[in-house]
Amino acid sequence: MTAPARPVNDLDDRVVGYLAEDIANPDLANRQRLGKALPMLSRWRATLLRDRLLQEFRGTVQGGPFAGLVGLIEVLEGCHVPKLLGSYERELHDIVERIVAAPYDVVVNIGCAEGYYTVGMARRMPATRILAFDTNPLAQAACRRLAERNGMAGRITIGGTLSGADFARWQGQRVLVVCDIEGAEDALLDPAAYPALDGMDVLVEAHDCFKRGMSDLLVERFRGTHRIEMRRQQFMPFDLPAGMDRSPELDRILALWEWRSGPTPWLFLTAGGGG
């Protein structure tokens, strides 16, 4: 499979510009500008690594709970290499294994992006109805393509905007809500406004980096009705595929880097365990 175009086409020129100009003039302003070069260099190196691994793995996820997922040649949200390796969000891997073993009737994935979780769960939960939502039409199209590559197109329903009132459509069923909507989770995950959530399990990424105190707010809302587990991002060990153990140490570190701009703790909220 051909690797997609780099997400920032002028990345090389921008990095070279920062380095050439700012290293030669190490005053305070240039040191501040030079500080921006490290993330740019890291993304540049991670992009080269992605291109190599796409050719080597041909878009197939190598490990983790979604090992064997094929055709992951485009990523609409965040990093690509950790998803290819299967190391992505390693702090959730044991929760994902509990989820795929549970008898859910419906999974509602809000903010599905390219479909890593949507299609990954569809492959492992053959008896579960999978619904995916994303307000970005490009994400909807990418998720649809990934579903088709994995033979899951008939198993997954893909839509745009989901409102809180829509939760009532699945009330009374065993439902898991997977929510990753970049800081809008407080508007949607409100059981006082949408009481159907009281009986649903929820796996939500709380974007404290965008709205300070988001995770605390969600914990308070669900404390009385749900058992709450919080998982914070951490750099956890992961067995890299054969061959990568001979890669430079920096490449092995960058392979596991998830490009986060700040804290985004996950909450797993299990209905019926509050109090």
Side-chain angles (χ1 to χ4, degrees):
M1 294 183 182
T2 302
R6 293 184 183 180
V8 183
N9 293 326
D10 63 344
L11 185 58
D12 292 359
D13 291 340
R14 291 168 61 196
V15 170
V16 170
Y18 271 114
L19 293 175
E21 179 179 345
D22 296 335
I23 290 178
N25 301 286
D27 56 40
L28 178 60
N30 283 329
R31 286 203 302 272
Q32 291 172 340
R33 279 168 44 89
L34 187 58
K36 299 177 182 179
L38 178 58
M40 293 176 67
L41 278 168
S42 298
R43 291 194 180 210
W44 169 77
R45 185 66 184 179
T47 299
L48 297 181
L49 185 59
R50 178 206 67 186
D51 292 347
R52 176 169 72 83
L53 294 181
L54 274 173
Q55 294 298 325
E56 184 175 340
F57 301 150
R58 302 189 64 80
T60 299
V61 174
Q62 298 297 296
F66 303 137
L69 180 74
V70 302
L72 191 70
I73 60 174
E74 54 189 330
V75 166
L76 270 289
E77 184 64 39
C79 55
H80 198 153
V81 174
K83 291 181 179 179
L84 274 176
L85 295 176
S87 65
Y88 187 62
E89 294 175 338
R90 300 183 295 294
E91 62 276 6
L92 295 181
H93 284 189
D94 66 313
I95 289 177
V96 172
E97 291 298 337
R98 283 151 53 191
I99 284 171
V100 299
Y104 287 109
D105 300 311
V106 181
V107 169
V108 183
N109 186 190
I110 312 165
C112 65
E114 76 288 330
Y116 180 77
Y117 275 94
T118 296
V119 182
M121 287 184 170
R123 292 177 71 249
R124 296 203 56 193
M125 304 171 76
T128 301
R129 183 183 176 199
I130 308 292
L131 308 175
F133 296 87
D134 203 294
T135 57
N136 183 352
L138 295 177
Q140 296 171 38
C143 185
R144 194 169 287 111
R145 288 191 292 270
L146 188 63
E148 290 169 353
R149 293 174 194 137
N150 285 271
M152 295 288 119
R155 294 268 334 281
I156 299 170
T157 301
I158 301 171
T161 300
L162 179 136
S163 71
D166 290 327
F167 291 125
R169 293 158 51 187
W170 307 293
Q171 193 163 11
Q173 300 181 67
R174 182 75 188 273
V175 177
L176 171 72
V177 176
V178 180
C179 184
D180 180 1
I181 52 176
E182 306 303 310
E185 49 269 24
D186 56 340
L188 190 63
L189 299 180
D190 185 353
Y194 311 117
L197 286 167
D198 285 347
M200 298 179 178
D201 293 351
V202 180
L203 180 63
V204 54
E205 188 171 24
H207 288 83
D208 288 3
C209 58
F210 299 149
K211 292 185 179 180
R212 188 173 181 179
M214 176 70 79
S215 57
D216 292 337
L217 173 64
L218 294 174
V219 166
E220 187 60 32
R221 285 181 177 179
F222 286 88
R223 186 188 304 278
T225 55
H226 288 67
R227 176 175 176 265
I228 298 172
E229 297 177 62
M230 179 180 287
R231 298 292 174 86
R232 299 186 185 277
Q233 280 77 26
Q234 52 185 306
F235 203 80
M236 300 172 65
F238 187 80
D239 291 331
L240 295 172
M244 288 198 70
D245 57 341
R246 296 188 296 275
S247 298
E249 183 180 17
L250 181 58
D251 280 355
R252 285 182 274 127
I253 292 171
L254 289 176
L256 302 177
W257 177 42
E258 297 187 0
W259 296 23
R260 300 186 185 278
S261 60
T264 56
W266 281 90
L267 300 173
F268 187 39
L269 313 169
T270 308

